[in-house]
């Protein structure tokens, strides 16, 4: 049982720690919203999306998805376009002004969080492929403990990111740090998009 928990913890943290699009968005919302409570919609949405994907992966749908190359190509294509757009929005965003306008609305937070969670091909492949595949090592009670631990890691991580963003936001009253964070984040997002394009067209 202990081995299952350690395996799930290491795997989940290994997949979620890299500063990807989803993490950047949660962090930025934590920084740009006036209170942590106002950033909860993005935290909950990202966590729920990850929970759904993990559950889907564990029950074996990942094997079905992997069997259809067209579906994978479609996901990558949609994700590529979305990441390009997300990079543009992030580059243009001005945190100092956003904070004065109460930040992103609840509806916008939910839509963007769901998009960066469900339209991010690398996140999909990580969860569906890696977690789904690793879950095959277990059965019965152990399999669901493995699943529960990976889900808990997502919830704890996204909440922690929002708090970290809020801490940075408080230190950055004039928004200058967050402007640079947004620029770097946008470049990272575009970098992921370019890597995806390379994977799609130059295999």
């Amino acid at each position: 049982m202990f081995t299952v928990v350690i395996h799930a913890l290491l795997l989940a943290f290994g997949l979620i720690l890299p500063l990807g699009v989803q993490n950047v968005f949660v962090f930025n919302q934590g920084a740009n919203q006036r209170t942590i409570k106002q950033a909860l919609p993005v935290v909950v949405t990202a966590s729920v999306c990850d929970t759904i994907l993990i559950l889907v992966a564990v029950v074996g749908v990942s094997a079905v998805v992997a069997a259809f190359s067209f579906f994978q190509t479609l996901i990558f294509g949609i994700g590529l376009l979305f990441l390009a757009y997300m990079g543009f929005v992030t580059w243009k965003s001005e945190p100092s002004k956003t904070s004065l306008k109460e930040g992103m609305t609840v509806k916008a937070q939910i839509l963007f969080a769901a998009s960066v969670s469900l339209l991010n091909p690398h996140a999909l492949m990580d969860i569906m492929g890696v977690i789904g595949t690793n879950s095959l090592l277990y059965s019965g009670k152990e399999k669901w403990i493995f699943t529960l631990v990976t889900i808990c890691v997502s919830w704890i991580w996204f909440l922690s990111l929002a708090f970290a963003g809020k801490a940075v936001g408080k230190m950055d009253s004039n928004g200058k740090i967050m402007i640079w964070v947004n620029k770097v984040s946008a470049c990272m997002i575009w970098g992921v998009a370019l890597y995806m394009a390379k994977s799609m067209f130059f295999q």
Side-chain angles (χ1 to χ4, degrees):
M1 195 73 68
F2 180 73
T3 304
V4 177
V5 173
I6 295 300
H7 178 201
L9 283 172
L10 291 176
L11 183 67
F13 273 115
L15 291 177
I16 205 170
L17 278 176
L19 196 61
V21 181
Q22 191 182 35
N23 286 345
V24 167
F25 183 65
V26 174
F27 179 87
N28 283 354
Q29 284 306 298
N32 291 333
Q33 297 293 338
R34 289 187 174 181
T35 65
I36 281 293
K37 184 178 179 180
Q38 290 176 311
L40 284 180
V42 71
V43 172
V44 173
T45 302
S47 301
V48 168
C49 287
D50 267 21
T51 298
I52 292 171
L53 290 175
I54 290 170
L55 289 173
V56 168
V58 169
V59 297
V61 177
S62 55
V64 177
V65 173
F68 296 96
S69 58
F70 170 75
F71 189 67
Q72 290 185 25
T73 303
L74 180 63
I75 290 176
F76 266 77
I78 294 173
L80 177 61
L81 293 174
F82 176 75
L83 288 177
Y85 169 72
M86 189 69 189
F88 176 77
V89 171
T90 304
W91 181 274
K92 289 290 186 180
S93 64
E94 298 181 27
S96 57
K97 292 182 180 180
T98 304
S99 61
L100 294 175
K101 296 179 181 178
E102 298 292 335
M104 191 176 279
T105 64
V106 171
K107 182 179 179 180
Q109 283 189 65
I110 292 172
L111 288 175
F112 267 85
S115 298
V116 297
S117 300
L118 301 177
L119 293 180
N120 183 345
H122 285 287
L124 288 175
M125 296 308 168
D126 279 348
I127 293 175
M128 302 291 279
V130 181
I131 291 180
T133 302
N134 277 265
S135 70
L136 297 176
L137 296 171
Y138 308 107
S139 60
K141 184 179 179 181
E142 288 187 338
K143 187 168 193 170
W144 292 110
I145 289 174
F146 175 87
T147 304
L148 181 61
V149 172
T150 55
I151 289 172
C152 287
V153 167
S154 287
W155 283 81
I156 293 169
W157 175 251
F158 290 129
L159 186 59
S160 300
L161 269 182
F163 273 105
K166 175 49 61 184
V168 171
K170 285 182 178 179
M171 293 187 293
D172 184 32
S173 58
N174 57 12
K176 288 183 178 180
I177 294 176
M178 283 309 302
I179 286 175
W180 282 104
V181 168
N182 285 345
K183 302 296 185 190
V184 172
S185 298
C187 290
M188 290 176 62
I189 292 169
W190 284 329
V192 172
L194 288 173
Y195 178 77
M196 284 173 53
K198 178 178 177 294
S199 300
M200 286 178 65
F201 301 113
F202 302 101
Q203 287 183 339

